[in-house]
Amino acid sequence: METIKGFIEHIIYRNTDNGYTVLNLLSGEDEITCVGFFKTSDQGETIEAEGNYIIHAVYGEQFKIERYRIVPPDDVVSIERYLGSGAVKGVGEALAARIVKRFGADTYRIIEEEPERLAEIKGISERKAREIAAAVYEKRDAREAMSFLQKYGISNALAFRIYEAYGARVYGILKENPYQLAEDIHGIGFKIADEIAAKIGIHTDSDFRIRSGILYTLMLAGGEGHCYLPKNILLKKAGELLGLDAEVMEPQLGNLAMDKKLVIKMPGTGEEENRVYASTYYYAELNCAKMLHDLNISAEEEQLLPSEEESIETKIERLAAELEIELDELQKRSVVESVKNGIFILSGGPGTGKTTTINVIIRYFLAEGMDIYLAAPTGRAAKRMTEATGYESRTLHRMLELNGELSGEAKAARFERNESNPLEADVIIVDEMSMVDIFLFQALLKAVMVGTRLIMVGDVNQLPSVGPGQVLYDLMSSGKFPMVVLEKIFRQAGESDIVWNAHRIHAGEKLVLDNKSRDFFFLERSDTNVIYKHMIQLITEKLPRYVDAQPFDIQVLTPMRKGKLGVETLNGILQRYLNPPADDKKEYLAGDTLLREHDKVMQIKNNYQLEWEVVSKYGIPIDKGTGIFNGDIGIIRQINEHAQEVVVEYDEHRRVTYAYVQLDEIELAYAVTIHKSQGSEYPAVVMPLLTGPKMLFNRNLLYTGVTRARNCVTILGSSRTLQEMVDNNYQNMRYTGLGDRIRELIP
């Protein structure tokens, strides 16, 4: 690394969100273009920076700053330039010249130690002198805090966020309990706090470290879908993380519970271990159970007369005749139950008539003059619902009016629609409920008024939500709500081998792989290179014509991230053939991933604060909002090298601008994991299945992958592996307690 020192003459560009800055630095006679993260530095300041010279493809030589510190100006020229640059509020070039002319090289000391003497200069009152001194003190405090943080190897970007959160309290917090950073500052986890603590000299068995490690272990468990962990499993996992024995850690469980950071639930029937919840997760489950109890109003409580029930059935029959459809008994019962109850659950596999049933339910309530809201967890699922019903469906986040701010210990989204501002609807129908996690479910229930009908639709055999919980499964297994599971495969759907094979997979039956089907194909291949070749042929040549779709719409689904047939390898290969390099396509290497204009990409984490806008063909914004979510797929429209930004267009023409430093939130999406494909439907799906771990290659995963296809499924690989997946009914168990909370509250 090289070290340079100079004066910030001009800030060319700054991203106000993350501090990424391009600036001109005067170092002696040289003018150097520098890039780096400067959230608090201003024009006129003198810095000492470490970094390396790099060659930018467009802008030539630049100095990439890894770390820097602001140093006081140490000569008359530097002092005058600093004061006159606008860095000190209330001081311009003319006033700076008068101050320096009066005090010379002693100016900086006078401002810091004898600020009242500034009033000796014409045009500066005692009050203004104090204001100038206060502005300089503030800069000095920030400078000293940054230097203090950098001593412990904390990067500039992270140091800014820590100082912004704590101000002058930063010294005490870091010396006493650096693990507080993991709790207070979004994006700083246990591992970063632990590294800082090690540099400061905090003991490995410190109470603060153990408590933070336990909370971090529960947070990781939430990332795997769990709402709690049995005590022995929690202590085992935390012990592996911290390198400590369970006996040393166990006393801290009680301390965390006393501080209301944890809830320890005593063993229930058939359980041997206490359940340990992070408080946020426990109260999310409890709140959901309470709100479900309040919404669970049935017509029997209102003493529905037999004649009224007959009237409902008559209306249903009339609607079915108008729609020229024939409902089976379960479908009729579904409509009746949705009318009679405050909560109703409709489930069933592909082809069993869920969409037809929803359409009749919608028509029934519209005929009664009721207001209906339709929603789904993702943009793609909402779009499918709109296409299937003919009525507008929105994402749950949009229906609940996400405002983009983060709140609470779980850093959950804040919604404008809640118990104080509920949804003004008589009926709310939510599709793809298997994708809804416990926190989104809690937000939904808060916005539903007692008396509003809540109808939840989903296939419980799909993979559970990416987030914590297994809401649909827990609701159905609780046995406390009206529910219908559709079973009959209807004639039109029965003509599809995708539907039949999905049901065979669910039942654990042998698949027919004779390729006599019109929509379900299997190609026996054992060489990965041959699989690559045929996959590309399918996407570029055969399938677009067969299903009348663009190559962009055909999706490769795979169980794995790693390996020759994992997402990471496949995306590199598919990018090369589906979006090859060209002179008119800009590129950017983000970490290990090369991004190119026109690439297909996916958002891989929920970001409630990302702003999007929809623009007209003339470039005028016509809609805007916040929030892009895990699993959203879009296309790179522009890479702006000068502004260091990438523009991605998602469904419904929503455009999002990512700074380069935010690109860890997106990845190539020519191939995605089956888990990430939940809630989506594609014209055609290609699945390479050769070999993989038994825990992953299971029936549940295969069922979900096959049911993502609308018109065609093509599997390349081993028929033996395929049948082993059908036979393997292993499912990763999730530790969730929503069902128990419901059974406790509802008799």
Side-chain angles (χ1 to χ4, degrees):
M1 276 196 189
E2 298 184 48
T3 301
I4 60 173
K5 181 180 176 183
F7 162 78
I8 301 176
E9 181 189 40
H10 175 55
I11 291 178
I12 301 168
Y13 167 80
R14 171 173 282 161
N15 183 314
T16 54
D17 291 331
N18 57 43
Y20 181 83
T21 304
V22 182
L23 56 83
N24 281 342
L25 191 76
L26 287 181
S27 180
E29 297 296 317
D30 298 326
E31 185 175 313
I32 305 168
T33 300
C34 299
V35 295
F37 295 91
F38 306 82
K39 211 160 187 178
T40 59
S41 54
D42 293 308
Q43 289 180 185
E45 291 184 323
T46 301
I47 63 169
E48 188 173 271
E50 292 180 35
N52 294 294
Y53 284 98
I54 60 171
I55 303 296
H56 190 280
V58 176
Y59 303 110
E61 187 177 67
Q62 298 177 335
F63 189 80
K64 185 178 180 182
I65 295 177
E66 299 296 333
R67 64 177 65 91
Y68 77 96
R69 64 187 186 95
I70 301 169
V71 295
D74 52 7
D75 59 69
V76 171
V77 175
S78 297
I79 292 170
E80 185 175 336
R81 271 194 311 206
Y82 172 65
L83 292 176
S85 67
V88 178
K89 188 178 178 182
V91 180
E93 290 183 12
L95 187 54
R98 294 208 302 275
I99 294 171
V100 173
K101 184 178 180 181
R102 174 72 177 82
F103 298 114
D106 209 24
T107 298
Y108 219 75
R109 186 196 65 77
I110 293 289
I111 293 174
E112 290 194 337
E113 298 176 11
E114 303 176 73
E116 68 279 357
R117 290 190 58 191
L118 291 172
E120 297 173 11
I121 297 168
K122 186 178 179 181
I124 299 181
S125 64
E126 288 187 11
R127 180 181 172 184
K128 187 160 188 175
R130 288 194 298 271
E131 289 174 353
I132 292 170
V136 172
Y137 289 152
E138 186 181 343
K139 294 282 185 182
R140 184 191 63 187
D141 290 345
R143 184 170 67 243
E144 289 175 352
M146 295 294 289
S147 297
F148 171 77
L149 293 168
Q150 287 168 359
K151 277 197 306 184
Y152 297 110
I154 299 171
S155 69
N156 287 325
L158 194 53
F160 292 138
R161 293 171 60 199
I162 294 171
Y163 181 71
E164 284 176 357
Y166 298 126
R169 294 188 300 127
V170 68
Y171 305 101
I173 287 169
L174 256 68
K175 287 179 178 175
E176 291 173 19
N177 178 19
Y179 295 98
Q180 191 172 332
L181 273 63
E183 295 184 42
D184 294 346
I185 302 176
H186 184 54
I188 297 182
F190 170 80
K191 290 190 174 179
I192 293 175
D194 203 33
E195 289 172 7
I196 294 169
K199 289 169 183 170
I200 290 172
I202 302 290
H203 291 297
T204 55
D205 61 353
S206 117
D207 290 352
F208 292 129
R209 181 171 187 264
I210 293 170
R211 292 171 68 166
S212 185
I214 289 169
L215 292 173
Y216 179 67
T217 302
L218 285 172
M219 186 200 77
L220 290 178
E224 295 171 357
H226 305 297
C227 289
Y228 71 88
L229 287 177
K231 186 178 78 171
N232 65 329
I233 293 177
L234 170 61
L235 291 175
K236 180 175 180 290
K237 288 179 176 289
E240 292 168 355
L241 173 73
L242 299 170
L244 298 172
D245 294 331
E247 308 83 67
V248 178
M249 298 182 293
E250 190 165 356
Q252 295 304 326
L253 294 178
N255 292 334
L256 284 164
M258 288 178 65
D259 288 345
K260 299 184 178 179
K261 299 285 179 64
L262 296 183
V263 172
I264 301 174
K265 192 75 175 162
M266 299 299 287
T269 306
E271 296 174 5
E272 297 179 359
E273 285 287 335
N274 289 341
R275 298 176 174 186
V276 184
Y277 283 87
S279 294
T280 315
Y281 289 67
Y282 176 77
Y283 288 110
E285 286 189 347
L286 186 60
N287 289 339
C288 287
K290 285 179 178 176
M291 290 184 284
L292 287 165
H293 171 273
D294 294 341
L295 292 170
N296 191 31
I297 301 169
S298 69
E300 279 76 8
E301 295 172 28
E302 301 171 5
Q303 297 182 335
L304 191 71
L305 297 172
S307 59
E308 291 176 298
E309 186 153 344
E310 288 175 15
S311 172
I312 293 171
E313 292 175 356
T314 302
K315 289 177 183 176
I316 293 169
E317 288 172 6
R318 188 170 66 247
L319 280 171
E322 288 174 5
L323 294 169
E324 298 181 348
I325 57 175
E326 187 175 336
L327 300 176
D328 71 4
E329 287 306 311
L330 284 177
Q331 289 177 304
K332 289 177 186 175
R333 187 178 141 213
S334 299
V335 185
V336 172
E337 293 295 333
S338 71
V339 174
K340 289 168 56 180
N341 294 283
I343 290 176
F344 173 63
I345 300 167
L346 176 64
S347 188
T352 55
K354 291 196 299 295
T355 300
T356 300
T357 307
I358 293 170
N359 275 320
V360 176
I361 290 171
I362 291 170
R363 296 294 184 92
Y364 184 97
F365 287 122
L366 286 174
E368 296 294 304
M370 295 186 178
D371 292 325
I372 305 174
Y373 284 175
L374 307 182
T378 67
R380 283 179 172 250
K383 186 178 179 183
R384 283 174 56 201
M385 196 178 188
T386 298
E387 292 168 350
T389 64
Y391 296 94
E392 182 194 7
S393 175
R394 294 172 288 174
T395 64
L396 282 168
H397 293 88
R398 205 158 183 199
M399 183 178 76
L400 297 174
E401 296 178 18
L402 176 78
N403 70 4
E405 294 182 11
L406 298 174
S407 62
E409 291 179 19
K411 303 298 186 288
R414 193 161 67 83
F415 297 96
E416 295 296 338
R417 293 291 183 173
N418 50 42
E419 57 269 56
S420 303
N421 181 29
L423 293 164
E424 297 170 2
D426 300 304
V427 183
I428 297 170
I429 304 175
V430 182
D431 198 9
E432 295 287 358
M433 272 298 299
S434 62
M435 297 182 65
V436 176
D437 66 34
I438 192 66
F439 292 115
L440 184 55
F441 191 49
Q442 177 180 229
L444 170 64
L445 293 178
K446 282 182 177 180
V448 180
M449 288 187 291
V450 173
T452 299
R453 288 175 174 82
L454 178 61
I455 299 168
M456 295 172 280
V457 184
D459 182 352
V460 76
N461 298 307
Q462 299 283 358
L463 290 169
S465 57
V466 175
Q470 45 185 357
V471 170
L472 182 61
Y473 175 84
D474 283 347
L475 290 175
M476 293 176 68
S477 63
S478 74
K480 297 297 182 182
F481 306 108
M483 172 179 67
V484 172
V485 179
L486 301 176
E487 296 171 348
K488 178 183 174 182
I489 300 175
F490 284 84
R491 183 183 60 79
Q492 190 171 354
E495 295 172 1
S496 165
D497 285 310
I498 294 174
V499 171
W500 278 113
N501 278 323
H503 285 273
R504 289 188 185 106
I505 291 165
H506 173 55
E509 298 173 358
K510 190 174 180 64
L511 298 180
V512 178
L513 305 175
D514 56 10
N515 285 336
K516 294 179 181 178
S517 168
R518 289 182 299 174
D519 60 9
F520 193 98
F521 303 100
F522 176 79
L523 306 178
E524 184 82 46
R525 303 289 185 269
S526 58
D527 187 323
T528 52
N529 289 320
V530 174
I531 290 175
Y532 298 153
K533 176 185 174 184
H534 290 170
M535 190 183 299
I536 291 159
Q537 285 178 340
L538 285 166
I539 296 170
T540 58
E541 299 171 21
K542 299 183 182 300
L543 287 174
R545 292 196 303 270
Y546 191 69
V547 298
D548 189 24
Q550 297 297 314
F552 179 90
D553 298 316
I554 295 164
Q555 190 61 55
V556 175
L557 301 181
T558 175
M560 305 171 294
R561 289 199 60 81
K562 305 289 185 181
K564 291 183 177 180
L565 295 177
V567 164
E568 294 172 6
T569 301
L570 288 176
N571 271 320
I573 293 167
L574 293 169
Q575 181 193 46
R576 196 181 314 152
Y577 289 93
L578 301 179
N579 186 31
D583 292 340
D584 61 343
K585 295 180 191 174
K586 292 178 183 173
E587 299 178 349
Y588 176 70
L589 185 63
D592 297 329
T593 303
L594 180 68
L595 298 175
R596 183 177 294 135
E597 288 179 337
H598 309 311
D599 269 338
K600 183 177 180 180
V601 294
M602 172 185 278
Q603 174 81 11
I604 58 171
K605 60 194 269 192
N606 288 339
N607 188 326
Y608 303 106
Q609 295 173 296
L610 266 181
E611 296 180 355
W612 54 261
E613 67 176 12
V614 179
V615 297
S616 69
K617 63 180 180 180
Y618 302 108
I620 300 169
I622 56 176
D623 193 11
K624 63 181 180 178
T626 56
I628 297 294
F629 306 104
N630 195 349
D632 285 355
I633 288 181
I635 188 167
I636 294 177
R637 293 299 183 194
Q638 183 185 25
I639 296 177
N640 187 327
E641 295 172 324
H642 181 70
Q644 309 260 309
E645 293 173 342
V646 173
V647 177
V648 178
E649 183 175 318
Y650 290 98
D651 287 338
E652 300 171 332
H653 307 292
R654 295 171 300 151
R655 291 199 171 205
V656 175
T657 300
Y658 294 85
Y660 277 2
V661 293
Q662 295 174 297
L663 293 178
D664 59 344
E665 295 191 13
I666 62 173
E667 65 182 20
L668 294 174
Y670 299 102
V672 303
T673 62
I674 294 171
H675 218 130
K676 290 282 190 185
S677 72
Q678 281 178 273
S680 298
E681 186 180 72
Y682 312 99
V685 162
V686 178
M687 281 199 289
L689 299 172
L690 199 53
T691 183
K694 186 175 180 180
M695 286 177 64
L696 197 59
F697 276 54
N698 59 46
R699 184 186 301 174
N700 194 214
L701 196 83
L702 180 62
Y703 176 87
T704 301
V706 167
T707 54
R708 297 308 88 207
R710 183 165 61 246
N711 298 324
C712 182
V713 171
T714 306
I715 299 173
L716 300 95
S718 162
S719 55
R720 179 178 175 181
T721 296
L722 184 62
Q723 192 58 48
E724 285 174 352
M725 289 182 77
V726 174
D727 296 337
N728 178 12
N729 200 24
Y730 171 86
Q731 293 184 40
N732 285 325
M733 178 184 176
R734 288 195 171 192
Y735 294 110
T736 64
L738 177 61
D740 295 324
R741 303 290 82 75
I742 291 168
R743 284 185 285 270
E744 289 169 1
L745 286 171
I746 301 179

